Amino acid sequence: MQQILLAINAGSSSVKFQVFAAADASLERRVSGLLDGIGSQPRLIIRDGTGAVLVDKSFALATVASVEAAQEIVGDWLEAAQELIGGKLTAIGHRVVHGGADFTRPVLIDDAVLARIVALTPLAPLHQPKNLAPIRAWARRRPDLPQVACFDTAFHRGHGELADRFAIPDALYQEGIRRYGFHGLSYEYIAQRVPEVFPGLARGRIIVAHLGNGCSLCALKDGRSIDSTMGFTALDGIPMGTRPGALDPGIVLYLMREKGMDAAAIEHFLYHQCGLKGLSGISNDVRLLEASAEPSARLALDHFVYRITKEIGALAAVLGGIDALVFTAGIGENGTEMRRHIVTGSAWLGLTIDETANRTRQLDLSATATGPRVLMIPTDEELMIARHTRDVLAAR
Ligand code: ADP
């Protein structure tokens, strides 16, 4: 029987979804959709496998007030579009941000697994509930369908102990305070994609820069994650749209003592009011900052580039050199100017960038025929979810 797989990637106010038909060893994309503006201005856009728009519809706020309600809209549409997607859904795969220390690979969701995912909520209080919502909604809507959880932390669980620890007492490490790393589905996709396009890099020392709304870097060796800039939470590492990245923990103490901020206020501050937005005082969006003449916009972008080049140096040290730097996600795939500045700042590693290749969004952006490569590879987290879902079902 042909598998028709739904991959769901639920964020704080949006749900991305794609449907794949499993044909032999490959997965054929049938539709991809985005329902965003949940809780504010809900809008659904669905495209077919060629990218042609099938649906572009806005909804009243009350109709799509939650991520759960979004599943009903998506589910109703998919049921009516069976001919287009190749039949009835046979399974669903979900992105789940936190898999803790124990989930090292994707798993079929049953009651016990669901309870364990729920128990990890304190480790990702803002994200985990958003991932659980569609799992529960689909379990109610289609209890017959197998569902698979694909963890953003799993790809990093092979990190060595030195990379996995903070310099804090062991009891806290045993309790789960570890450097988990995130964006794992994106990095795993890139790790599989690199050898397809550059077979010579299959065993290489590669730094991947996933620069989207969330930003992190990952060091890959032999296709496996060795280290990442993200740590215990998705706040660590390099600056992001609205998050500061690594911060002296003394700042948190200062905010508590001198500003009287409690945990909830600090959490809101760190997740929503820092990063490019906080530093510029203008926006979290790189496009708007690049278009702005305000000095604070330039400062925010320059600081972003500075911190990224600094961490590229750190990960190059971890890897003992670098064979390729890969840019991916919203800023990595579209931010021509950001790519140029980051590579220029990393020239000491032998990285080069050809301005024409950069502007025209080629795969290989390097200015030289030899030496370490600079690549731009679009990520595909939903395809990775679909691959995992297919494989977990096949192994049942
Ligand atoms: P998410 O992490 O939600 O999947 P994306 O990977 O889509 O987000 O990245 C979104 C970000 O990409 C935007 O906030 C914006 O800063 C950036 N971006 C999108 N297009 C461009 C562009 N043409 N130039 C620079 N940055 C861009």
Side-chain angles (χ1 to χ4, degrees):
M1 186 188 71
Q2 174 166 254
Q3 297 276 3
I4 305 291
L5 308 171
L6 171 62
I8 295 183
N9 183 349
S12 51
S13 64
S14 71
V15 176
K16 293 181 194 162
F17 62 95
Q18 299 197 6
V19 176
F20 295 86
D24 306 323
S26 66
L27 289 167
E28 194 183 295
R29 197 182 320 264
R30 290 289 165 88
V31 294
S32 62
L34 170 69
L35 207 171
D36 67 0
I38 296 169
S40 56
Q41 290 181 303
R43 182 176 173 197
L44 173 67
I45 297 179
I46 303 179
R47 297 170 189 275
D48 69 11
T50 68
V53 176
L54 300 171
V55 177
D56 184 348
K57 187 176 173 194
S58 295
F59 294 86
L61 198 167
T63 320
V64 199
S66 66
V67 175
E68 280 97 329
Q71 308 311 308
E72 300 303 323
I73 305 267
V74 171
D76 288 349
W77 188 85
L78 291 174
E79 233 153 65
Q82 278 181 36
E83 207 169 307
L84 184 78
I85 64 175
K88 282 185 189 298
L89 293 179
T90 56
I92 305 176
H94 298 268
R95 176 183 180 187
V96 176
V97 159
H98 221 302
D102 298 333
F103 285 117
T104 57
R105 54 174 62 89
V107 285
L108 192 66
I109 301 172
D110 58 19
D111 289 346
V113 166
L114 190 63
R116 285 167 66 197
I117 297 174
V118 172
L120 291 166
T121 302
L123 298 184
L126 300 187
H127 295 97
Q128 203 82 334
K130 303 291 179 193
N131 304 147
L132 283 160
I135 296 175
R136 291 191 173 118
W138 279 97
R140 273 195 305 273
R141 185 183 173 97
R142 292 290 307 275
D144 56 310
L145 281 185
Q147 301 200 69
V148 173
C150 306
F151 301 99
D152 246 339
T153 46
F155 185 60
H156 300 295
R157 288 320 297 144
H159 286 180
E161 193 180 1
L162 299 182
D164 202 33
R165 287 215 182 231
F166 294 101
I168 55 175
D170 181 62
L172 288 169
Y173 178 73
Q174 299 307 337
E175 199 178 304
I177 305 204
R178 303 174 180 211
R179 298 195 65 252
Y180 290 101
F182 298 89
H183 294 135
L185 292 164
S186 175
Y187 291 129
E188 191 172 12
Y189 171 78
I190 299 291
Q192 294 184 2
R193 185 71 184 139
V194 165
E196 289 173 4
V197 287
F198 282 93
L201 286 173
R203 312 218 51 200
R205 299 160 300 178
I206 299 171
I207 296 174
V208 186
H210 177 109
L211 309 177
N213 277 319
C215 300
S216 70
L217 306 177
C218 177
L220 297 175
K221 199 170 193 176
D222 292 341
R224 294 174 48 201
S225 170
I226 300 299
D227 204 345
S228 150
T229 56
M230 274 193 172
F232 176 57
T233 66
L235 285 171
D236 203 3
I238 55 179
M240 306 169 219
T242 58
R243 291 170 252 169
L247 199 69
D248 178 345
I251 296 172
V252 175
L253 298 176
Y254 179 86
L255 295 176
M256 290 168 71
R257 277 211 198 95
E258 303 300 322
K259 304 282 179 194
M261 290 167 75
D262 62 9
I266 293 175
E267 182 174 78
H268 182 78
F269 174 73
L270 294 177
Y271 276 95
H272 301 292
Q273 296 181 326
C274 296
L276 293 172
K277 184 179 169 193
L279 194 47
S280 68
I282 296 172
S283 171
N284 61 313
D285 194 314
V286 167
R287 286 166 292 196
L288 295 180
L289 296 179
E290 285 178 345
S292 168
E294 292 296 323
S296 65
R298 191 72 262 159
L299 171 70
L301 293 172
D302 288 349
H303 180 74
F304 182 65
V305 170
Y306 172 77
R307 295 273 297 276
I308 292 171
T309 52
K310 190 168 156 181
E311 291 303 318
I312 287 173
L315 292 181
V318 164
L319 289 168
I322 179 170
D323 299 310
L325 171 67
V326 180
F327 287 102
T328 196
I331 303 167
E333 293 168 27
N334 304 298
T336 310
E337 198 189 315
M338 289 296 99
R339 284 195 301 256
R340 174 158 42 82
H341 288 310
I342 292 165
V343 174
T344 307
S346 308
W348 65 280
L349 287 165
L351 298 172
T352 58
I353 190 156
D354 177 83
E355 209 25 63
T356 306
N358 187 35
R359 217 177 36 249
T360 55
R361 303 178 75 237
Q362 303 299 306
L363 177 64
D364 188 347
L365 310 179
S366 326
T368 57
T370 57
R373 302 289 83 197
V374 174
L375 309 176
M376 194 282 287
I377 302 180
T379 194
D380 200 338
E381 289 162 307
E382 288 78 18
L383 177 61
M384 204 58 238
I385 293 169
R387 281 181 187 161
H388 281 314
T389 304
R390 177 196 61 195
D391 295 347
V392 166
L393 294 178
R396 273 205 295 184

